[in-house]
Amino acid sequence: MTLESPQDTRLASADAGVRRIAILDIADAQDDDDLPLLTAALRDDADAEVRAEAARVLGGWSHPAAVDALASALLDADPAVRASAATALGQLKDASAGARLLPWASHVDPAVRSAALRGLKELRIAAAAAPAHAALAHDDAGVRREAVGVLGWLKSVAALPALARLATADADAEVRRTATGALGLSNEDGHATVLPALLAALRDESWPVREEAATTLAKLVPPGALDALLAAMADDAWQVRLRAARALGRLRDPAALPTLIEALAHPMGNLRKEAAVALGEIGALAAVPALEVAAADPDPEVRKTARLALARLALVATTSVSA
């Protein structure tokens, strides 16, 4: 005769609160022998809160049985349980779980498909590229967003043309923003593919898309972005102006000096700070007088940044004389 464990006893209690506490105790113990108890609770417990708790706890296991149980729970009748299962799948860290999750990335239910793709994104397994690429054309915007995330984290260069199309043409602003960020995986060979899309995204009607475009341009610093970034310094959204200033600094093109020097007098301290950083990165001595004024700025962060930029320019001047 097999003796029941305390967990067995409490999970059989008529009180749902007792069953939830038992699940939390199993989580604390992290004993693989208790895994069948959790999967059974997630599958069979009559109380949705207990099932949701079991799903949350199972997120700490990358065991195949845990993955199977969580994936099945994406079809639970209760939305809170489905949400907990989806979140738990996104917390998986063991790539071996990917094989169990892959079939769900093509499920007919968009919510299930989205959750599976989200979990696969974290696992970063190469086999996820194919279902993610197929999902880029899905009718559901949430599925497309998760698919973009998978391909971005996988650094799938082959997906760049499709991502560029989404960045400019998708009907959903968040898909466009996510795709714009994913274009940052490009290398120099891919700049010709992604630059037109990034420049178009910098004019998008949605400011988060424009901000993402400026951020991505700062990562890639592709030739041909200067004029668009200078124009973005007058964007209605301050977030876009900040990212554009940062990108101009990384481009290191002296043609940006007048615009950045003008930004040193902007009412917003964060923009003055970014302009000072950018001027230091460009390294043109013509910026020294404006930076000396900024070194006495009322904002201590601007003063600090301007002085650092001046120190950098002093080093540039010393190096030039030595040469």
Side-chain angles (χ1 to χ4, degrees):
M1 175 178 171
T2 303
L3 295 176
E4 287 188 337
S5 68
Q7 290 89 347
D8 285 306
T9 302
R10 288 186 294 166
L11 284 172
S13 170
D15 187 330
V18 172
R19 301 198 301 276
R20 286 187 66 191
I21 292 172
I23 287 171
L24 293 173
D25 287 343
I26 290 173
D28 290 338
Q30 283 289 308
D31 187 342
D32 283 349
D33 288 342
D34 290 330
L35 185 57
L37 299 177
L38 287 175
T39 58
L42 177 56
R43 182 185 64 243
D44 299 329
D45 200 280
D47 187 272
E49 290 188 6
V50 174
R51 298 198 304 278
E53 196 68 66
R56 285 190 285 271
V57 169
L58 280 168
W61 267 274
S62 288
H63 191 281
V67 179
D68 289 343
L70 288 169
S72 296
L74 294 172
L75 300 173
D76 194 277
D78 188 273
V81 178
R82 297 196 299 270
S84 292
T87 300
L89 285 169
Q91 295 169 347
L92 297 173
K93 301 301 179 187
D94 187 345
S96 66
R100 318 292 293 204
L101 197 51
L102 272 172
W104 295 88
S106 301
H107 197 277
V108 66
D109 186 318
V112 173
R113 196 167 185 174
S114 294
L117 288 166
R118 194 177 312 126
L120 288 168
K121 177 182 73 174
E122 299 292 335
L123 297 176
R124 304 189 192 191
I125 58 171
H133 201 283
L136 291 178
H138 199 278
D139 290 341
D140 185 87
V143 173
R144 299 196 302 276
R145 286 196 299 270
E146 296 300 343
V148 168
V150 171
L151 294 168
W153 282 45
L154 284 175
K155 300 186 183 300
S156 175
V157 175
L160 284 175
L163 293 173
R165 286 194 298 273
L166 288 180
T168 58
D170 198 276
D172 184 86
E174 186 59 17
V175 173
R176 297 197 304 275
R177 187 196 67 78
T178 307
T180 298
L183 293 177
L185 64 90
S186 174
N187 54 27
E188 289 186 10
D189 294 336
H191 284 178
T193 299
V194 305
L195 181 58
L198 288 172
L199 297 184
L202 203 54
R203 302 187 300 271
D204 195 276
E205 64 183 5
S206 169
W207 73 258
V209 178
R210 301 196 302 273
E211 179 188 23
E212 195 70 46
T215 301
T216 304
L217 287 167
K219 293 177 183 176
L220 298 180
V221 291
L226 176 66
D227 290 343
L229 287 169
L230 289 173
M233 288 292 290
D235 196 279
D236 291 339
W238 62 264
Q239 297 92 334
V240 179
R241 297 196 296 270
L242 289 183
R243 302 299 182 182
R246 186 168 302 175
L248 287 169
R250 292 179 181 174
L251 279 177
R252 293 181 170 84
D253 191 326
L257 286 178
T259 299
L260 291 169
I261 288 172
E262 182 181 353
L264 284 177
H266 195 277
M268 188 171 67
N270 280 343
L271 184 56
R272 300 198 301 275
K273 176 183 172 182
E274 288 294 341
V277 171
L279 289 167
E281 289 184 322
I282 292 172
L285 297 179
V288 169
L291 285 169
E292 286 176 339
V293 173
D297 194 277
D299 187 319
E301 287 298 314
V302 177
R303 293 198 302 271
K304 176 183 175 182
T305 306
R307 290 166 186 170
L308 288 172
L310 285 168
R312 184 168 183 168
L313 291 177
L315 181 61
V316 170
T318 302
T319 303
S320 300
V321 171
S322 300

